[in-house]
Coordinates of all heavy atoms in Angstrom, one line a residue:
M1 N 0.8 -1.2 0.0 CA 0.0 0.0 0.0 C 0.9 1.2 0.0 O 1.8 1.4 0.8 CB -0.9 0.0 1.2 CG -1.8 1.2 1.4 SD -3.0 0.9 2.7 CE -3.0 2.5 3.4
T2 N 0.6 2.1 -0.9 CA 1.4 3.4 -1.0 C 0.4 4.5 -0.6 O -0.8 4.5 -0.8 CB 2.0 3.7 -2.4 OG1 0.9 3.8 -3.3 CG2 2.9 2.5 -2.8
D3 N 1.0 5.6 0.0 CA 0.2 6.7 0.4 C 0.5 7.8 -0.6 O 1.6 8.3 -0.7 CB 0.5 7.1 1.8 CG -0.4 8.3 2.3 OD1 -1.2 8.8 1.5 OD2 -0.3 8.6 3.5
C4 N -0.5 8.3 -1.3 CA -0.3 9.3 -2.3 C -0.1 10.7 -1.7 O 0.3 11.6 -2.3 CB -1.5 9.3 -3.3 SG -3.0 9.8 -2.7
G5 N -0.5 10.8 -0.4 CA -0.3 12.1 0.3 C -1.5 13.0 0.1 O -2.3 12.9 -0.8
C6 N -1.6 13.9 1.1 CA -2.8 14.8 1.1 C -2.8 15.7 -0.1 O -3.8 16.0 -0.7 CB -2.7 15.7 2.4 SG -3.1 14.8 3.9
E7 N -1.6 16.2 -0.5 CA -1.6 17.2 -1.6 C -2.1 16.5 -2.9 O -2.9 17.1 -3.6 CB -0.1 17.7 -1.8 CG -0.1 18.7 -2.9 CD 1.3 19.3 -3.0 OE1 2.1 19.4 -2.0 OE2 1.7 19.7 -4.2
K8 N -1.6 15.3 -3.2 CA -2.1 14.6 -4.4 C -3.6 14.2 -4.3 O -4.3 14.4 -5.3 CB -1.2 13.3 -4.6 CG -1.7 12.4 -5.7 CD -1.5 13.1 -7.1 CE -1.9 12.1 -8.2 NZ -2.4 12.8 -9.3
A9 N -4.0 13.8 -3.1 CA -5.4 13.4 -2.9 C -6.3 14.6 -3.2 O -7.3 14.5 -3.8 CB -5.6 12.8 -1.6
R10 N -5.9 15.7 -2.6 CA -6.8 16.9 -2.7 C -6.8 17.5 -4.1 O -7.7 18.0 -4.6 CB -6.4 17.9 -1.7 CG -6.8 17.5 -0.3 CD -6.4 18.5 0.7 NE -6.9 18.0 2.0 CZ -6.5 18.6 3.2 NH1 -5.8 19.7 3.2 NH2 -7.0 18.1 4.3
Q11 N -5.6 17.3 -4.8 CA -5.5 17.8 -6.2 C -6.5 17.1 -7.1 O -7.1 17.7 -8.0 CB -4.1 17.6 -6.7 CG -3.9 18.0 -8.1 CD -2.4 17.7 -8.6 OE1 -1.5 17.6 -7.8 NE2 -2.3 17.6 -9.9
D12 N -6.6 15.8 -6.9 CA -7.5 15.0 -7.7 C -8.8 14.6 -7.1 O -9.5 13.7 -7.6 CB -6.7 13.7 -8.1 CG -5.6 14.0 -9.0 OD1 -5.6 15.0 -9.8 OD2 -4.6 13.2 -9.0
L13 N -9.2 15.2 -6.0 CA -10.4 14.9 -5.2 C -11.6 15.0 -6.0 O -12.5 14.1 -6.1 CB -10.5 15.7 -3.9 CG -11.6 15.3 -3.0 CD1 -11.5 13.9 -2.6 CD2 -11.6 16.2 -1.8
E14 N -11.8 16.1 -6.8 CA -13.0 16.3 -7.5 C -13.1 15.2 -8.6 O -14.2 14.6 -8.8 CB -13.0 17.7 -8.2 CG -14.3 18.1 -8.8 CD -14.3 17.8 -10.3 OE1 -13.3 17.8 -10.9 OE2 -15.5 17.5 -10.8
A15 N -12.1 14.9 -9.3 CA -12.1 13.8 -10.3 C -12.4 12.5 -9.6 O -13.2 11.7 -10.2 CB -10.8 13.8 -11.0
Y16 N -11.8 12.2 -8.5 CA -12.0 11.0 -7.8 C -13.5 10.8 -7.4 O -14.1 9.8 -7.6 CB -11.1 10.9 -6.5 CG -11.5 9.8 -5.5 CD1 -11.1 8.5 -5.8 CD2 -12.3 10.1 -4.4 CE1 -11.4 7.5 -4.9 CE2 -12.6 9.1 -3.5 CZ -12.2 7.8 -3.8 OH -12.5 6.8 -2.9
L17 N -14.1 11.9 -6.8 CA -15.5 11.8 -6.3 C -16.5 11.6 -7.5 O -17.5 11.0 -7.3 CB -15.8 13.1 -5.5 CG -15.1 13.2 -4.2 CD1 -15.4 14.6 -3.5 CD2 -15.4 12.1 -3.3
R18 N -16.2 12.2 -8.6 CA -17.1 12.0 -9.7 C -16.8 10.8 -10.6 O -17.4 10.5 -11.6 CB -17.2 13.3 -10.6 CG -16.1 13.7 -11.3 CD -16.3 15.0 -12.1 NE -15.1 15.6 -12.5 CZ -14.4 15.2 -13.6 NH1 -14.8 14.3 -14.4 NH2 -13.3 15.8 -13.9
G19 N -15.7 10.0 -10.2 CA -15.4 8.8 -10.9 C -14.8 9.1 -12.3 O -15.1 8.3 -13.2
A20 N -14.1 10.1 -12.4 CA -13.6 10.6 -13.7 C -12.7 9.5 -14.3 O -11.9 8.9 -13.7 CB -12.8 11.9 -13.5
V21 N -12.8 9.4 -15.6 CA -12.0 8.5 -16.4 C -10.5 8.9 -16.5 O -9.7 8.1 -16.8 CB -12.6 8.2 -17.8 CG1 -14.0 7.5 -17.7 CG2 -12.7 9.5 -18.6
E22 N -10.3 10.2 -16.3 CA -8.9 10.6 -16.4 C -8.0 10.0 -15.3 O -6.8 10.1 -15.4 CB -8.7 12.1 -16.5 CG -9.3 12.9 -15.3 CD -10.7 13.4 -15.6 OE1 -11.4 12.9 -16.4 OE2 -11.0 14.4 -14.9
L23 N -8.6 9.5 -14.2 CA -7.8 8.9 -13.2 C -7.7 7.4 -13.5 O -8.7 6.7 -13.7 CB -8.5 9.0 -11.8 CG -8.5 10.4 -11.2 CD1 -9.2 10.3 -9.8 CD2 -7.1 11.0 -11.0
C24 N -6.5 6.9 -13.6 CA -6.3 5.5 -13.8 C -6.6 4.7 -12.6 O -6.8 5.3 -11.5 CB -4.8 5.2 -14.3 SG -3.6 5.3 -13.0
H25 N -6.8 3.4 -12.7 CA -7.2 2.6 -11.6 C -6.2 2.7 -10.4 O -6.6 2.8 -9.2 CB -7.2 1.1 -12.0 CG -7.6 0.2 -10.9 ND1 -8.8 0.1 -10.3 CD2 -6.8 -0.7 -10.2 CE1 -8.8 -0.8 -9.4 NE2 -7.6 -1.3 -9.3
T26 N -4.9 2.8 -10.7 CA -3.9 2.9 -9.6 C -4.1 4.2 -8.9 O -4.1 4.3 -7.6 CB -2.5 2.9 -10.2 OG1 -2.3 1.6 -10.9 CG2 -1.4 3.0 -9.2
Q27 N -4.3 5.3 -9.6 CA -4.5 6.6 -8.9 C -5.7 6.6 -8.1 O -5.7 7.1 -6.9 CB -4.6 7.8 -10.0 CG -3.4 8.1 -10.7 CD -3.6 9.0 -11.9 OE1 -4.5 8.7 -12.7 NE2 -2.9 10.1 -11.9
H28 N -6.8 6.0 -8.6 CA -8.1 6.0 -7.9 C -7.9 5.2 -6.6 O -8.3 5.6 -5.5 CB -9.1 5.3 -8.8 CG -10.5 5.3 -8.1 ND1 -10.9 4.4 -7.3 CD2 -11.5 6.2 -8.3 CE1 -12.1 4.6 -6.9 NE2 -12.5 5.7 -7.5
T29 N -7.2 4.0 -6.7 CA -6.9 3.2 -5.5 C -6.1 3.9 -4.5 O -6.3 3.9 -3.3 CB -6.3 1.9 -5.9 OG1 -7.1 1.2 -6.9 CG2 -6.0 1.0 -4.8
E30 N -5.0 4.6 -4.9 CA -4.1 5.3 -4.0 C -4.9 6.4 -3.3 O -4.7 6.6 -2.1 CB -2.9 5.9 -4.8 CG -2.0 4.9 -5.2 CD -0.8 5.4 -6.1 OE1 -0.9 6.6 -6.5 OE2 0.1 4.7 -6.4
I31 N -5.7 7.2 -4.0 CA -6.5 8.3 -3.4 C -7.5 7.7 -2.4 O -7.6 8.2 -1.2 CB -7.2 9.1 -4.4 CG1 -6.2 9.9 -5.3 CG2 -8.2 10.1 -3.8 CD1 -6.7 10.5 -6.5
K32 N -8.2 6.6 -2.8 CA -9.1 5.9 -1.9 C -8.5 5.5 -0.6 O -8.9 5.7 0.5 CB -9.8 4.8 -2.6 CG -10.8 4.0 -1.8 CD -11.4 2.9 -2.6 CE -12.5 2.2 -1.8 NZ -12.1 1.1 -1.1
E33 N -7.3 4.8 -0.7 CA -6.6 4.4 0.4 C -6.1 5.5 1.3 O -6.2 5.4 2.6 CB -5.4 3.5 0.0 CG -5.8 2.2 -0.5 CD -4.6 1.4 -1.1 OE1 -3.5 1.9 -1.2 OE2 -4.9 0.2 -1.5
H34 N -5.7 6.6 0.7 CA -5.2 7.7 1.5 C -6.4 8.3 2.3 O -6.3 8.6 3.5 CB -4.6 8.8 0.6 CG -4.3 10.1 1.3 ND1 -3.1 10.2 2.1 CD2 -5.0 11.2 1.5 CE1 -3.1 11.3 2.7 NE2 -4.2 12.0 2.4
I35 N -7.5 8.5 1.6 CA -8.7 9.1 2.3 C -9.1 8.3 3.4 O -9.5 8.8 4.5 CB -9.8 9.4 1.2 CG1 -9.4 10.5 0.3 CG2 -11.1 9.7 2.0 CD1 -10.3 10.6 -0.9
E36 N -9.1 6.9 3.2 CA -9.6 6.0 4.3 C -8.7 6.2 5.6 O -9.2 6.0 6.7 CB -9.5 4.6 3.8 CG -10.7 4.3 2.8 CD -10.5 2.9 2.2 OE1 -9.5 2.2 2.4 OE2 -11.5 2.5 1.5
G37 N -7.5 6.6 5.4 CA -6.6 6.7 6.6 C -6.3 8.1 7.0 O -5.5 8.3 7.9
C38 N -6.9 9.1 6.4 CA -6.6 10.5 6.7 C -7.8 11.3 7.1 O -8.7 11.7 6.2 CB -6.0 11.2 5.5 SG -5.5 12.9 5.7
P39 N -8.0 11.6 8.4 CA -9.2 12.3 8.8 C -9.3 13.7 8.2 O -10.4 14.1 7.9 CB -8.9 12.5 10.3 CG -8.0 11.3 10.7 CD -7.1 11.2 9.5
A40 N -8.2 14.4 7.9 CA -8.3 15.7 7.3 C -8.9 15.6 5.8 O -9.7 16.4 5.4 CB -6.9 16.4 7.2
C41 N -8.5 14.6 5.1 CA -9.0 14.4 3.7 C -10.4 13.9 3.8 O -11.2 14.2 2.9 CB -8.1 13.5 2.9 SG -6.5 14.3 2.4
Q42 N -10.8 13.1 4.8 CA -12.1 12.6 5.0 C -13.0 13.9 5.2 O -14.1 13.9 4.6 CB -12.3 11.7 6.2 CG -11.6 10.4 5.9 CD -11.5 9.5 7.2 OE1 -12.2 9.8 8.2 NE2 -10.7 8.4 7.1
D43 N -12.6 14.8 6.0 CA -13.3 16.1 6.1 C -13.5 16.8 4.8 O -14.5 17.4 4.5 CB -12.6 17.0 7.2 CG -12.7 16.5 8.6 OD1 -13.5 15.6 8.9 OD2 -12.0 17.0 9.4
E44 N -12.4 16.8 4.0 CA -12.5 17.5 2.7 C -13.5 16.8 1.8 O -14.3 17.5 1.1 CB -11.1 17.5 2.1 CG -11.0 18.3 0.8 CD -11.0 19.8 1.1 OE1 -10.6 20.2 2.3 OE2 -11.4 20.6 0.2
V45 N -13.6 15.5 1.8 CA -14.6 14.7 1.1 C -16.0 15.1 1.5 O -16.9 15.3 0.7 CB -14.3 13.2 1.2 CG1 -15.5 12.4 0.6 CG2 -13.0 12.8 0.5
L46 N -16.2 15.2 2.8 CA -17.5 15.5 3.4 C -17.9 16.9 2.9 O -19.0 17.1 2.5 CB -17.4 15.5 4.9 CG -18.7 15.9 5.6 CD1 -19.9 14.9 5.2 CD2 -18.5 15.9 7.1
V47 N -17.0 17.9 2.9 CA -17.3 19.2 2.5 C -17.6 19.2 1.0 O -18.6 19.8 0.6 CB -16.1 20.2 2.7 CG1 -16.2 21.5 2.0 CG2 -15.9 20.4 4.2
E48 N -16.8 18.5 0.2 CA -17.1 18.5 -1.3 C -18.4 17.9 -1.6 O -19.2 18.4 -2.4 CB -16.0 17.7 -2.0 CG -14.6 18.4 -2.0 CD -14.5 19.5 -3.0 OE1 -15.3 19.5 -4.0 OE2 -13.7 20.4 -2.8
N49 N -18.7 16.7 -0.9 CA -20.0 16.1 -1.1 C -21.2 16.9 -0.7 O -22.2 17.0 -1.4 CB -20.0 14.7 -0.4 CG -19.2 13.7 -1.2 OD1 -19.0 13.7 -2.4 ND2 -18.8 12.7 -0.5
T50 N -21.0 17.6 0.5 CA -22.1 18.4 1.0 C -22.4 19.6 0.1 O -23.5 19.9 -0.3 CB -21.8 18.9 2.4 OG1 -21.6 17.8 3.3 CG2 -22.9 19.8 3.0
L51 N -21.3 20.2 -0.4 CA -21.4 21.3 -1.3 C -22.1 20.9 -2.7 O -23.0 21.5 -3.2 CB -20.0 21.9 -1.6 CG -20.0 23.1 -2.6 CD1 -20.9 24.3 -2.0 CD2 -18.6 23.6 -2.7
T52 N -21.6 19.8 -3.2 CA -22.2 19.3 -4.4 C -23.7 19.0 -4.3 O -24.5 19.3 -5.1 CB -21.5 18.0 -4.9 OG1 -20.1 18.3 -5.1 CG2 -22.1 17.4 -6.1
E53 N -24.1 18.3 -3.2 CA -25.5 18.0 -2.9 C -26.3 19.3 -2.8 O -27.4 19.4 -3.3 CB -25.6 17.2 -1.7 CG -25.1 15.7 -1.9 CD -25.0 15.0 -0.6 OE1 -25.4 15.4 0.5 OE2 -24.4 13.9 -0.6
A54 N -25.8 20.3 -2.1 CA -26.5 21.6 -1.9 C -26.7 22.3 -3.2 O -27.8 22.8 -3.5 CB -25.8 22.5 -0.9
I55 N -25.7 22.3 -4.1 CA -25.8 22.9 -5.4 C -26.8 22.1 -6.2 O -27.7 22.7 -6.9 CB -24.5 23.0 -6.1 CG1 -23.6 24.0 -5.3 CG2 -24.6 23.4 -7.5 CD1 -22.1 24.0 -5.8
Q56 N -26.8 20.8 -6.2 CA -27.7 20.0 -7.0 C -29.1 20.3 -6.5 O -30.0 20.4 -7.4 CB -27.4 18.5 -6.9 CG -26.1 18.2 -7.7 CD -25.7 16.7 -7.4 OE1 -26.1 16.1 -6.5 NE2 -24.9 16.2 -8.3
R57 N -29.4 20.3 -5.2 CA -30.7 20.6 -4.7 C -31.2 21.9 -5.1 O -32.4 22.1 -5.5 CB -30.8 20.5 -3.2 CG -30.9 19.0 -2.7 CD -31.2 19.0 -1.2 NE -30.4 19.9 -0.4 CZ -29.2 19.6 0.2 NH1 -28.7 18.4 0.0 NH2 -28.6 20.4 0.9
S58 N -30.4 22.9 -5.1 CA -30.8 24.3 -5.4 C -31.0 24.6 -6.9 O -31.6 25.5 -7.3 CB -29.9 25.3 -4.8 OG -28.6 25.3 -5.4
C59 N -30.4 23.7 -7.7 CA -30.4 24.0 -9.1 C -31.3 22.9 -9.9 O -31.1 22.9 -11.1 CB -29.0 23.9 -9.7 SG -27.9 25.2 -9.0
R60 N -32.1 22.2 -9.3 CA -32.9 21.2 -9.9 C -33.7 21.7 -11.1 O -33.8 21.0 -12.1 CB -33.8 20.4 -9.0 CG -33.0 19.5 -8.1 CD -33.9 18.8 -7.1 NE -33.1 18.3 -6.0 CZ -33.2 17.2 -5.5 NH1 -34.2 16.4 -5.8 NH2 -32.4 16.8 -4.5
E61 N -34.3 22.8 -10.9 CA -35.1 23.4 -12.0 C -34.4 24.3 -12.9 O -35.0 24.7 -13.9 CB -36.3 24.2 -11.3 CG -37.1 23.3 -10.4 CD -37.8 22.1 -11.0 OE1 -38.3 22.3 -12.1 OE2 -37.8 21.1 -10.4
E62 N -33.2 24.7 -12.6 CA -32.4 25.6 -13.4 C -31.6 24.9 -14.5 O -31.0 23.9 -14.3 CB -31.4 26.4 -12.6 CG -32.1 27.2 -11.5 CD -33.0 28.3 -12.0 OE1 -32.7 28.9 -13.1 OE2 -34.1 28.6 -11.4
V63 N -31.6 25.5 -15.7 CA -30.8 25.0 -16.8 C -29.9 26.1 -17.3 O -30.5 27.2 -17.7 CB -31.7 24.4 -17.9 CG1 -30.8 23.9 -19.1 CG2 -32.5 23.3 -17.4
A64 N -28.6 25.9 -17.3 CA -27.8 27.0 -17.8 C -27.8 27.1 -19.3 O -28.0 26.1 -20.0 CB -26.3 26.7 -17.4
P65 N -27.7 28.3 -19.8 CA -27.7 28.4 -21.3 C -26.5 27.6 -21.9 O -25.5 27.5 -21.2 CB -27.5 29.9 -21.5 CG -27.9 30.6 -20.3 CD -27.6 29.6 -19.2
E66 N -26.7 27.0 -23.0 CA -25.7 26.2 -23.6 C -24.3 26.8 -23.8 O -23.3 26.3 -23.5 CB -26.2 25.6 -25.0 CG -25.3 24.6 -25.6 CD -25.4 23.2 -24.8 OE1 -26.4 23.0 -24.2 OE2 -24.4 22.5 -24.8
D67 N -24.3 28.1 -24.2 CA -23.1 28.8 -24.4 C -22.3 29.1 -23.0 O -21.1 29.0 -22.9 CB -23.2 30.1 -25.1 CG -24.1 31.1 -24.4 OD1 -25.1 30.7 -23.8 OD2 -23.9 32.3 -24.6
L68 N -23.1 29.3 -22.0 CA -22.5 29.5 -20.6 C -21.9 28.1 -20.2 O -20.7 28.1 -19.7 CB -23.5 29.9 -19.6 CG -23.0 30.0 -18.2 CD1 -21.9 31.0 -18.0 CD2 -24.2 30.4 -17.2
R69 N -22.6 27.1 -20.4 CA -22.1 25.7 -20.0 C -20.8 25.5 -20.8 O -19.8 25.0 -20.2 CB -23.1 24.7 -20.4 CG -22.7 23.3 -20.0 CD -23.8 22.3 -20.5 NE -23.5 20.9 -20.2 CZ -22.7 20.2 -20.9 NH1 -22.2 20.7 -22.1 NH2 -22.4 19.0 -20.6
D70 N -20.8 25.7 -22.1 CA -19.5 25.5 -22.9 C -18.4 26.4 -22.4 O -17.2 25.9 -22.3 CB -19.8 25.8 -24.3 CG -20.8 24.8 -25.0 OD1 -21.0 23.7 -24.4 OD2 -21.3 25.2 -26.0
Q71 N -18.6 27.6 -22.0 CA -17.6 28.5 -21.5 C -17.0 28.0 -20.2 O -15.8 28.0 -20.0 CB -18.1 29.9 -21.3 CG -18.4 30.7 -22.6 CD -19.1 32.0 -22.3 OE1 -19.0 32.5 -21.2 NE2 -19.8 32.5 -23.3
V72 N -17.9 27.6 -19.3 CA -17.5 27.0 -18.0 C -16.6 25.8 -18.2 O -15.6 25.6 -17.6 CB -18.7 26.8 -17.0 CG1 -18.3 26.0 -15.8 CG2 -19.3 28.1 -16.7
L73 N -17.1 24.9 -19.0 CA -16.4 23.6 -19.2 C -15.0 23.9 -19.8 O -14.0 23.3 -19.5 CB -17.2 22.7 -20.1 CG -18.4 22.0 -19.4 CD1 -19.2 21.2 -20.4 CD2 -18.0 21.2 -18.2
A74 N -14.9 24.8 -20.7 CA -13.7 25.2 -21.4 C -12.7 25.7 -20.4 O -11.5 25.4 -20.3 CB -13.9 26.2 -22.5
K75 N -13.2 26.6 -19.5 CA -12.3 27.2 -18.4 C -11.9 26.1 -17.4 O -10.7 26.1 -17.0 CB -13.0 28.3 -17.7 CG -13.1 29.6 -18.6 CD -13.7 30.7 -17.8 CE -14.0 31.8 -18.8 NZ -13.3 33.0 -18.5
L76 N -12.8 25.2 -17.1 CA -12.4 24.1 -16.2 C -11.3 23.2 -16.8 O -10.3 22.8 -16.2 CB -13.6 23.3 -15.8 CG -14.6 23.9 -14.8 CD1 -15.8 23.1 -14.7 CD2 -13.9 24.2 -13.5
R77 N -11.5 22.9 -18.1 CA -10.5 22.1 -18.8 C -9.1 22.8 -18.8 O -8.1 22.2 -18.6 CB -11.0 21.7 -20.2 CG -12.0 20.7 -20.2 CD -12.4 20.3 -21.6 NE -13.7 19.6 -21.6 CZ -14.8 20.0 -22.1 NH1 -14.8 21.2 -22.6 NH2 -15.9 19.3 -22.0
A78 N -9.2 24.1 -19.1 CA -7.9 24.9 -19.2 C -7.2 24.9 -17.8 O -6.0 24.7 -17.7 CB -8.2 26.3 -19.7
A79 N -8.0 25.1 -16.8 CA -7.5 25.2 -15.4 C -6.9 23.9 -15.0 O -5.9 23.8 -14.4 CB -8.5 25.7 -14.4
H80 N -7.6 22.8 -15.4 CA -7.1 21.4 -15.0 C -5.8 21.1 -15.7 O -5.0 20.5 -15.2 CB -8.2 20.4 -15.3 CG -7.9 19.1 -14.8 ND1 -6.8 18.4 -15.0 CD2 -8.7 18.3 -13.9 CE1 -6.8 17.2 -14.4 NE2 -7.9 17.1 -13.7
S81 N -5.7 21.5 -17.0 CA -4.5 21.2 -17.8 C -3.3 22.0 -17.3 O -2.2 21.5 -17.4 CB -4.7 21.4 -19.2 OG -4.9 22.8 -19.5
V82 N -3.5 23.1 -16.6 CA -2.4 23.9 -16.1 C -1.9 23.3 -14.8 O -0.7 23.3 -14.5 CB -2.8 25.4 -15.9 CG1 -1.8 26.1 -15.1 CG2 -3.2 26.0 -17.2
A83 N -2.8 22.7 -14.0 CA -2.5 22.2 -12.7 C -1.7 21.0 -12.7 O -1.1 20.4 -13.3 CB -3.8 21.8 -11.9

């Protein structure tokens, strides 16, 4: 068992939580194992999940305009590729 460390786990936490395909099986396993043994990262997971759930509940009836969605996704991809 290897520990990927808090910095790596937090860097890829959003991708891990949504089951992103950009994380290989090894990365996913390392992050999972780290979180299971790290109370600070467990707290971070709780915050991320709570925030995601709150946003989903508040936006159930809202639909973003297609161009806004495309702009946001493009900025997220650009930010992720820089990190």
Side-chain angles (χ1 to χ4, degrees):
M1 177 172 142
T2 62
D3 186 351
C4 67
C6 290
E7 184 175 329
K8 174 65 176 154
R10 288 182 179 170
Q11 176 184 339
D12 292 329
L13 185 60
E14 190 265 331
Y16 169 80
L17 291 175
R18 66 181 165 79
V21 295
E22 60 261 22
L23 290 180
C24 71
H25 177 72
T26 301
Q27 290 170 307
H28 186 274
T29 300
E30 289 175 352
I31 294 169
K32 180 179 187 267
E33 289 174 354
H34 175 81
I35 291 169
E36 288 173 351
C38 180
C41 287
Q42 290 170 13
D43 289 346
E44 191 71 25
V45 168
L46 179 62
V47 168
E48 291 284 334
N49 284 335
T50 302
L51 181 58
T52 298
E53 289 169 8
I55 291 170
Q56 288 174 341
R57 278 193 311 273
S58 67
C59 297
R60 286 180 200 220
E61 303 298 319
E62 299 296 324
V63 177
E66 190 68 29
D67 62 325
L68 174 61
R69 181 182 178 279
D70 292 342
Q71 289 174 22
V72 170
L73 289 174
K75 289 185 186 238
L76 288 172
R77 286 186 196 107
H80 190 305
S81 68
V82 172

